[in-house]
Structures are given as structure tokens and as C-alpha cells.
Amino acid sequence: MPTATPTPDPETRGVRLVFVLLALTMMSGMIDAVSYLGLGHVFTANMTGNVVVLGFAAAGAPGFSVPHSAASLAAFLLGAAVGGRVSARFGGSSRRRWVRVTLAAEAVVLAAAAVVAFARPAGTATTYTLIALTAFAMGVRNANVRKLGIPDLTATTVLTTTLTGLVSESHLGDATRPHSPRRVAAVLALVAGAVLGAWLVLHRSLGIPLLVAAVVAGVLAVVASGRE
């Protein structure tokens, strides 16, 4: 009697979450390149940097804006709150569906930001709209990435903890984890995204890196799996 072929687990279909999160880390570098270079020295992905910049602005340092940084922080926190709701709604069911819903939402928000950037490249209203949209998208994403709990990839926008662990647990430190390919890949991904994003902002326009980030998020929403 022929043996029945086991049905593949739908959760395992698609791109592994490790690679999805590395791609998102790269996009974070692009988003911060857009915001810092194109929106008045404000971070919309890296809130550690944004809070420091807010302090610079509050002290009266030239080239920084309290309203810009405060708007970014407020939008990010709102996004994190919404992201928490999303993780509560989908986190207990299919991991694959949860990730795809989150990525689809990010793609839509970033696409809206790209449309604004192309339609009206300059102006105060455009600046605040782009700050709000990109920071909101990053807040939603980070709330869910944190809940996913993928080792060494619990954040896709700031790498202080990653860098600390990479060095302190290497042969230079206590040698408890001398090989950390995920950490190295995360650092390289963020740098690569920042370089690409900066080049596009300086030599093309704000809309192009935002469009690229939206497309990447959209593609990942289609192909992401639920497996680590």
C-alpha cells in the first residue's frame, strides 16, 4: 500500500524570517537616509538617534528642529501602539499571516509617503507628512518584530545591542559566541541601506528610496514564511 505523501506545512512556505528581517534592516537604513538628509536632520526609524537629535534641537543647536523630532517621536509611538494591537490580534495564530499583514501595512504607508514625495517634493506640509508616515510605519514594524523574538534580530532600526553582543561575546570578549553571522549581517544590511538611501536622496529624489522601500515591503508581504 503506497505511503501517503505528507502535506507541507503552509507556515514553512516562502522566505525565512531571518532573511526578511535583514531586508527590513536594510530598508531602515534607507528610511533614515531619507529623513536625516532630506527632512531636516531627523530620524524616523532610529528613535535612539531621534531622541538625541531632539536634545540637540532643544539646546538650540543649528540645523535641528524640535517640532520635526517631536513629530517623528509621536508618530513612531502611535505606530508602536497600533503595532501592539496588530501583534495582539494576529500573534496567537499563524505566524506567517501575522508577518504578512504587518508587512502589507508597512508597504501601504510607505507607498503613500512615496506618492507625497513625488507629487509635492518640497514644502513644510510635505516634510511633516513624510516624517509622520515613515515614523508611523517604523513604529508598527518594530512593535511586531520585537514580539516575533527572532534571536539577534529583535530590532531592525537600531543596532547598539547587536554591536555590543557582537564584540563582547566574540574572541575579543568572553568568547561565548565567537561566531555571530546574523549580527554581522544585520550591521552590514543597515550600512548598505544607508549608503543606497543616501545616494538616492543626494543624486535622485526623496520619492525613489521611499518607493523602493515600499516595493520591498510589499514583495516580502507576499513571499514571507512563518519559519525562522
Side-chain angles (χ1 to χ4, degrees), residues 59-94:
F64 300 97
S65 167
V66 169
H68 286 178
S69 294
S72 177
L73 181 60
F76 185 92
L77 294 176
L78 177 60
V82 172
R85 294 281 184 175
V86 172
S87 67
R89 170 67 177 82
F90 295 98
S93 57
S94 164

Side-chain angles (χ1 to χ4, degrees), residues 170-184:
S170 70
H171 289 300
L172 297 174
D174 60 16
T176 54
R177 291 185 63 187
H179 304 293
S180 301
R182 289 185 185 180
R183 291 172 176 172
V184 173

Side-chain angles (χ1 to χ4, degrees), residues 9-141:
D9 182 359
E11 289 294 297
T12 65
R13 296 174 186 167
V15 178
R16 291 178 180 269
L17 290 179
V18 168
F19 300 108
V20 170
L21 296 184
L22 288 174
L24 293 179
T25 301
M26 184 175 178
M27 292 307 101
S28 295
M30 293 185 65
I31 295 298
D32 268 339
V34 168
S35 62
Y36 194 83
L37 298 177
L39 301 177
H41 292 174
V42 57
F43 291 105
T44 58
N46 177 4
M47 283 301 114
T48 302
N50 188 55
V51 170
V52 172
V53 166
L54 181 59
F56 294 164
F64 300 97
S65 167
V66 169
H68 286 178
S69 294
S72 177
L73 181 60
F76 185 92
L77 294 176
L78 177 60
V82 172
R85 294 281 184 175
V86 172
S87 67
R89 170 67 177 82
F90 295 98
S93 57
S94 164
R95 199 184 206 187
R96 179 170 171 247
R97 184 185 178 203
W98 173 20
V99 170
R100 292 187 172 193
V101 167
T102 302
L103 290 172
E106 178 175 333
V108 169
V109 176
L110 292 179
V115 169
V116 171
F118 282 121
R120 191 167 182 175
T124 301
T126 296
T127 297
Y128 279 103
T129 300
L130 295 182
I131 287 173
L133 289 173
T134 54
F136 178 84
M138 295 302 99
V140 172
R141 181 213 289 179

